[in-house]
Amino acid sequence: TTINGFRMICQLCLAVIQMPTARHPDEKLLKQDGDDFEILAFTKMAKFTGLVCVLYRIFISSFIFTVGCQFLMWTSTNIELILNALALTFILELDRITFK
């Protein structure tokens, strides 16, 4: 799940970087087709905010990965290892459970 998290962060980063930047403040940013919306461009501030979010997600994912590995390394018995791995899996899946 950690590798999938880093893959999703990379996809978000590429989406933010590859999205065209609006050149003028009055440029059309959205296109509406019935009930569907399409984002045509980001403002510079929106791109900056997206990249800051990517950096925060990288930091949090790296921190959880490092602490989780140390958490599992210092277990002494097999049953504790299984229970700690289950707890770590719950923590890693908590954001997906919350937002569904």
Side-chain angles (χ1 to χ4, degrees):
T1 58
T2 305
I3 294 173
N4 287 337
F6 281 114
R7 185 178 302 136
M8 288 175 28
I9 292 169
C10 289
Q11 288 174 348
L12 176 63
C13 183
L14 287 175
V16 169
I17 290 173
Q18 292 176 350
M19 182 63 72
T21 304
R23 296 177 189 207
H24 303 290
D26 55 346
E27 186 176 343
K28 189 173 180 181
L29 302 176
L30 289 174
K31 178 177 132 182
Q32 183 179 6
D33 186 27
D35 291 336
D36 298 329
F37 288 95
E38 181 181 351
I39 299 174
L40 301 175
F42 281 160
T43 62
K44 290 181 182 179
M45 190 62 180
K47 272 196 168 188
F48 175 76
T49 304
L51 291 176
V52 167
C53 289
V54 167
L55 290 176
Y56 280 138
R57 289 186 69 179
I58 288 172
F59 173 74
I60 291 170
S61 295
S62 301
F63 179 75
I64 289 176
F65 178 75
T66 304
V67 170
C69 286
Q70 290 178 355
F71 183 63
L72 293 177
M73 280 185 349
W74 295 108
T75 55
S76 56
T77 63
N78 288 340
I79 193 70
E80 284 183 22
L81 180 66
I82 292 169
L83 290 174
N84 288 343
L86 184 63
L88 186 60
T89 302
F90 176 75
I91 291 171
L92 292 174
E93 295 293 324
L94 193 60
D95 63 336
R96 290 189 192 107
I97 293 169
T98 304
F99 292 115
K100 281 190 179 183

